[in-house]
Amino acid sequence: MQRAGRGWARAAIDTADRLLERREPGVARRLEPRERRTESAAAVLFVLVAGLLLARSDDPWPSALTIAGLVATYATLGEIRLQLGPGLVGPTQLAFIPLLFLAPPLAVPALVAVGELIGELRAIAARRAHPERALVALADSWYSVGPAVVIALFAPDRSWGVVVLALAAQFATDFAVSSAREWFGAGIPPGRLAPVMGLIHVVDALLTPVGVLVVLASDGHPAAFVLVLGPAVLLAAIGHERATRIERELELGRAYRRSAGELQHAYGRIGEAVASRLDRSELERLLVTATVGALQADRARLSEEEPAADGALSVPLPGQRERLTVERAARPFDADERELLERLAAQAAASLENLELHELMRKSEAEQRAVLEGVSEAIFAEDASGAVVYANATAVRLLGAPPDPRRLQLADEDGVAVAAERLPGRRALAGERPRPLVVRYEDDRWARVKASPVLDEQGEARLAITVIEDITELKQAERAQRFLADSARALGASLELEETLPAVARLAVPEIADGCELHVLGERELQRLAAEPAPSADAALAARIHEVVRTGLPHLRDDAIVVPMRAPARIVGAIALTGSRRAFGPQELALAEQLGLHAGAVVDTARLYRTRSAIAQTLQASLLPPVLPEIGALESAALYRAAGEGYEVGGDFYDVFSTGASQWFAVIGDVCGKGAEAAAVTALARYTLRAAVVQHRSPARMLHWLNDAMLRQRTGAIRFATIACVRFDLDGDGVTATVSCGGHPTPRILRGTGSVEEVGVPGTLLGALPEIRLEERSVRLAGGDALVLYTDGLTEAGSPRRVWTPAQLDAAVAARRGGSAQEIVERLAQEALRGEPPRDDLALLAMKVR
């Protein structure tokens, strides 16, 4: 059977259109070197195998006329080629089967080769094939070797089993040899070749029964094999008709592609120019010319009118108002030509739409370019080599001409130089997704550099678009806010102006200025409390500072800023910033005014604090005895530690007074709350007890008297107090202490032996209830014994982490054995506070028998 050429095997893998157009194998061309080597090797091997089989053949030969007829019939059938799927097939199986059974089987490969060569020589003589095609014809004969060997082995058996076995050997040999030829000659794997070979083998299998019947008929008449010529002629007629139709289709297809190519070329030329009516007219003229050539028409036109002449063919342009009309007088247009005209009309419509689209794209590109040129950010594009292929006007001003990012001297936020490889654009070209980079350049200018890649079809970065956004104002505002926050922390760290204002001056230099002075308005004159790095000797600046304090108006010049320190209701000072290496502007002035507001508020608050602290200290001192009285038999000592900042009056108090040389009273108390109301209750308690002792010598009766007075004086919220009152009676043998507690912690007695005793009953706090329970306890004190009174500020000094239990309190008191009264109170306070400020007011009173 005639096989498709090697070009067809490759074309089977490509599009069906290419296969149809090249249905005549590419035989006129010379074989490629690789093909030539493969076909030569296959042909030589076949000649050797066919010769060897022919030499071993000992079967009788039929008449020479029969052999010649069989070979001629094979050659004739080989020239009949039918288009089937992606390849060509011929009905040579009709002659091959009789050749297998009527000629000596081992001679069949040689006879098939002769038939193949006869058919090929005719094409070579007509210059439709290159002489090298003879090699292909010999190589195509390999398929006959397998069945020839099978028939020789089973001769003279002509059963259907032998036929099927021979057919299987034919297909196996054909596929194996064809696969090897295509693999070594064109690099086509067997898997891609199998569909083409399968179609050929199906046709061969269908024609095999006809060939077998011819063999059977030859038993009665030797020339019966010529019967296959009838079906062959019918197949040839069908093949010719189909070939003619395909040729027509291909011709129309070539005409369409040629016309479409001309239109596309025309559109490409027009697209380079600015679109206008003349451009569309030129495209329409080329469209008409291409249509006339493609359909071999007399004339063609584009119009919105329906054709009126006979023999005219007209189709609308999709999406357009015009129609494409052609006319021809020689013969009418057929359906295929109408289809071609419709395809040409569709291509023409696409070309016209592309022209319109090109104009829209040109306008859009112009608008985009105008937008890019108008933005304030620098935008440029780099190709894979790092060369800048586009830069807007801002980028050109920044990068120079021609634009080059390496011209910029960049540094990151830490001041480290930024190499070109670290820029986001270079990293985007390297396949990364870079994060924006903040850099500094050109005398304290700041920018945010960001880039994104433009990817090709393979996902590789072919361009990097970089945007440089100037964020100098943002960074200056950020730095200003950071400075204000730092200065606010420095100002709020303390209310001592001698500490905070110099700290602010150190922050200002060199962050926002080269020099900074802070002046505060005192009672009589302006005082300079801070200067960095050194006080200025500029008389004009000093005069301007006094002027700003007087008027409250800021002053700005290139090298100096003076702003007032503003308190809510007055000017409390001024801040002067100087710049020997920088120029100041409105932004720096606004920052300085913010600083002036912060500093003014702190100065005003510090003064208020000092005033309130002085008042509180004065009032606190008035509520405590300035010194304890001298008592012959008793040694006394007291200690007071106020909680907080010292600008509020505390609620703890103590007092020592007498009714005579042999009777003394010691009082310690804790009033609820702080401030003026607590001070009023403290004063009431202290002076009421001093008055009560005139009528009542009993500590319990004195506390009842005080509770009644507190209830009478109450006008608002309940203000209660806890108080311990002790009466000391001195006689020649020692001292008797009588204790009564109104809700207060019970005192401790430190004996001279080191033991500690609790004395008294806590009782009911004072000032809250009209009915209270108070008890008295008396105890004898010997020489060296000490009575310790205290408030809860002692036991709860470490609250909430450390709160003394009664046992811990006793242990702390016992540790003070042998100490003086002053040492007792001081050491107890030290142990309780451990160097920390008190969380609550703390009062201690110690009375030790001499």
Side-chain angles (χ1 to χ4, degrees):
M1 175 173 188
Q2 179 68 29
R3 306 296 176 210
R6 184 179 307 279
W8 273 105
R10 286 194 301 272
I13 311 306
D14 300 325
T15 63
D17 184 61
R18 287 180 56 198
L19 292 173
L20 289 172
E21 188 173 3
R22 296 180 59 195
R23 71 194 188 286
E24 288 292 337
V27 293
R29 64 177 178 86
R30 296 194 62 179
L31 299 178
E32 297 293 335
R34 182 177 176 183
E35 293 177 311
R36 189 181 305 112
R37 290 192 298 269
T38 302
E39 298 301 325
S40 298
V44 170
L45 287 174
F46 172 77
V47 170
L48 293 176
V49 173
L52 180 62
L53 293 177
L54 184 61
R56 295 180 61 87
S57 175
D58 55 2
D59 293 325
W61 286 73
S63 65
L65 183 60
T66 300
I67 293 298
L70 288 171
V71 172
T73 302
Y74 183 94
T76 301
L77 295 178
E79 294 191 46
I80 299 174
R81 292 172 179 173
L82 301 176
Q83 179 69 42
L84 183 63
L88 292 176
V89 297
T92 53
Q93 193 76 357
L94 294 173
F96 177 64
I97 296 299
L99 197 60
L100 276 175
F101 289 98
L102 300 180
L106 295 182
V108 170
L111 296 176
V112 168
V114 172
E116 291 276 3
L117 287 174
I118 291 174
E120 201 65 49
L121 287 175
R122 293 184 60 187
I124 293 173
R127 297 184 180 276
R128 291 185 289 106
H130 193 274
E132 290 179 348
R133 287 291 301 178
L135 295 174
V136 178
L138 289 175
D140 283 344
S141 303
W142 263 104
Y143 80 96
S144 62
V145 174
V149 173
V150 171
I151 296 300
L153 291 175
F154 290 94
D157 187 357
R158 294 182 179 179
S159 65
W160 282 104
V162 174
V163 174
V164 172
L165 188 59
L167 194 62
Q170 173 189 340
F171 294 164
T173 306
D174 190 19
F175 183 75
V177 175
S178 298
S179 297
R181 290 166 60 196
E182 297 298 340
W183 175 258
F184 291 108
I188 299 176
R192 295 176 60 185
L193 186 64
V196 179
M197 297 300 298
L199 288 175
I200 295 174
H201 293 162
V202 168
V203 174
D204 288 346
L206 294 175
L207 295 178
T208 296
V210 179
V212 173
L213 294 176
V214 171
V215 172
L216 296 176
S218 297
D219 292 340
H221 196 290
F225 60 84
V226 297
L227 294 175
V228 301
L229 293 178
V233 171
L234 178 61
L235 290 175
I238 296 174
H240 177 73
E241 186 278 331
R242 189 176 183 197
T244 302
R245 181 168 54 82
I246 292 175
E247 179 63 33
R248 176 64 174 163
E249 292 177 356
L250 290 174
E251 178 61 31
L252 293 176
R254 283 192 292 269
Y256 167 74
R257 283 192 291 273
R258 183 170 57 253
S259 303
E262 292 176 0
L263 294 176
Q264 194 67 29
H265 177 66
Y267 168 71
R269 290 193 292 115
I270 292 175
E272 299 295 330
V274 179
S276 66
R277 184 64 188 173
L278 179 60
D279 296 331
R280 182 181 177 92
S281 299
E282 183 179 353
L283 182 60
E284 291 177 352
R285 181 181 60 78
L286 291 171
L287 168 64
V288 169
T289 302
T291 303
V292 169
L295 293 174
Q296 298 179 358
D298 297 335
R299 66 187 63 85
R301 69 178 182 275
L302 270 174
S303 66
E304 299 182 14
E305 301 175 356
E306 292 283 346
D310 294 336
L313 180 62
S314 178
V315 296
L317 269 64
Q320 303 289 329
R321 293 175 298 178
E322 293 92 343
R323 300 178 65 86
L324 179 58
T325 303
V326 292
E327 298 177 4
R328 185 172 63 197
R331 57 184 173 86
F333 297 101
D334 58 21
D336 291 334
E337 289 175 320
R338 179 179 180 85
E339 181 182 355
L340 174 59
L341 184 62
E342 291 175 349
R343 295 171 67 183
L344 288 174
Q347 179 64 33
S351 298
L352 292 173
E353 289 177 359
N354 286 341
L355 184 63
E356 297 172 357
L357 180 61
H358 177 82
E359 172 62 13
L360 291 176
M361 291 177 61
R362 188 191 64 79
K363 291 181 179 179
S364 176
E365 182 179 352
E367 292 174 356
Q368 291 178 2
R369 184 176 292 273
V371 171
L372 291 175
E373 293 297 328
V375 298
S376 59
E377 290 83 2
I379 303 175
F380 62 92
E382 299 174 273
D383 61 16
S385 65
V388 177
V389 297
Y390 170 77
N392 67 351
T394 306
V396 172
R397 288 194 298 270
L398 185 63
L399 306 179
D404 188 353
R406 291 174 296 183
R407 288 193 177 97
L408 289 177
Q409 301 296 322
L410 303 177
D412 60 19
E413 294 182 280
D414 297 327
V416 179
V418 177
E421 291 73 17
R422 289 181 56 196
L423 292 176
R426 298 294 179 85
R427 297 177 63 184
L429 289 172
E432 302 180 33
R433 294 285 183 179
R435 300 180 63 183
L437 179 65
V438 176
V439 296
R440 184 167 56 186
Y441 68 101
E442 289 184 2
D443 298 331
D444 209 26
R445 302 291 297 178
W446 290 87
R448 180 186 290 112
V449 184
K450 48 190 175 183
S452 58
V454 178
L455 306 179
D456 57 18
E457 295 179 355
Q458 288 73 36
E460 300 291 334
R462 63 183 183 88
L463 290 176
I465 309 300
T466 300
V467 178
I468 302 179
E469 177 188 4
D470 191 297
I471 58 170
T472 301
E473 293 185 0
L474 180 63
K475 293 296 288 186
Q476 289 175 345
E478 178 183 314
R479 184 169 61 182
Q481 292 301 318
R482 185 170 59 248
F483 168 74
L484 289 175
D486 293 341
S487 62
R489 282 193 293 271
L491 289 169
S494 172
L495 290 175
E496 297 296 332
L497 298 180
E498 291 77 6
E499 298 177 4
T500 57
L501 296 186
V504 172
R506 289 191 294 271
L507 285 173
V509 179
E511 183 67 22
I512 62 172
D514 299 323
C516 177
E517 294 186 12
L518 290 94
H519 297 255
V520 175
L521 187 61
E523 294 182 0
R524 297 182 179 180
E525 60 182 9
L526 199 62
Q527 299 176 347
R528 182 170 52 215
L529 294 187
E532 186 70 27
S536 172
D538 188 347
L541 179 63
R544 182 60 63 184
I545 292 173
H546 283 80
E547 179 69 14
V548 168
V549 171
R550 185 181 65 81
T551 63
L553 299 177
H555 166 74
L556 169 66
R557 67 185 189 194
D558 289 345
D559 61 346
I561 293 177
V562 182
V563 295
M565 289 186 192
R566 294 185 182 276
R570 57 199 175 105
I571 304 299
V572 296
I575 300 176
L577 303 176
T578 58
S580 59
R581 301 186 303 274
R582 69 183 80 196
F584 295 124
Q587 197 170 34
E588 289 77 13
L589 176 61
L591 176 60
E593 288 182 315
Q594 287 289 328
L595 179 60
L597 288 174
H598 289 178
V602 170
V603 170
D604 194 51
T605 300
R607 286 179 170 174
L608 179 62
Y609 163 76
R610 289 184 177 182
T611 301
R612 292 187 61 180
S613 179
I615 294 173
Q617 291 174 5
T618 301
L619 182 57
Q620 188 75 63
S622 68
L623 298 176
L624 299 173
V627 293
L628 295 179
E630 290 288 339
I631 305 175
L634 295 173
E635 176 188 353
S636 62
L639 179 144
Y640 179 80
R641 295 284 187 271
E645 299 293 335
Y647 54 83
E648 285 190 312
V649 179
D652 289 8
F653 70 96
Y654 59 87
D655 197 6
V656 177
F657 52 90
S658 70
T659 57
S662 61
Q663 192 173 66
W664 288 82
F665 288 85
V667 178
I668 193 168
D670 184 358
V671 175
C672 170
K674 283 181 173 292
E677 294 183 359
V681 175
T682 301
L684 174 65
R686 183 183 178 195
Y687 294 111
T688 298
L689 290 173
R690 281 179 173 259
V693 77
V694 175
Q695 299 185 15
H696 305 287
R697 301 300 175 89
S698 165
R701 294 297 302 162
M702 295 170 62
L703 295 179
H704 273 287
W705 182 288
L706 174 59
N707 184 66
D708 294 340
M710 292 177 66
L711 293 176
R712 288 193 302 270
Q713 294 291 331
R714 188 171 70 194
T715 59
I718 297 177
R719 287 285 178 176
F720 59 87
T722 65
I723 298 176
C725 181
V726 183
R727 186 187 69 220
F728 294 95
D729 295 306
L730 284 64
D731 54 38
D733 296 331
V735 177
T736 300
T738 302
V739 179
S740 181
C741 297
H744 197 80
T746 54
R748 292 296 191 271
I749 297 176
L750 174 60
R751 298 294 185 180
T753 59
S755 62
V756 176
E757 300 174 9
E758 179 183 6
V759 59
V761 177
T764 305
L765 55 83
L766 308 180
L769 301 172
E771 297 294 332
I772 58 176
R773 182 178 64 84
L774 300 173
E775 297 182 17
E776 291 183 353
R777 294 288 187 272
S778 297
V779 63
R780 187 71 175 172
L781 301 178
D785 293 343
L787 181 69
V788 180
L789 296 97
Y790 59 92
T791 61
D792 58 4
L794 175 68
T795 57
E796 298 177 3
S799 176
R801 293 172 299 162
R802 292 181 296 105
V803 177
W804 281 357
T805 63
Q808 291 173 325
L809 173 62
D810 293 346
V813 173
R816 308 283 79 81
R817 174 191 175 189
S820 64
Q822 189 64 37
E823 289 176 345
I824 291 174
V825 297
E826 289 181 355
R827 295 296 177 84
L828 283 175
Q830 290 176 3
E831 186 172 349
L833 297 175
R834 297 186 180 181
E836 298 178 0
R839 296 177 178 270
D840 190 11
D841 295 338
L842 169 63
L844 281 167
L845 178 61
M847 308 293 288
K848 184 175 182 179
V849 179
R850 297 182 185 277

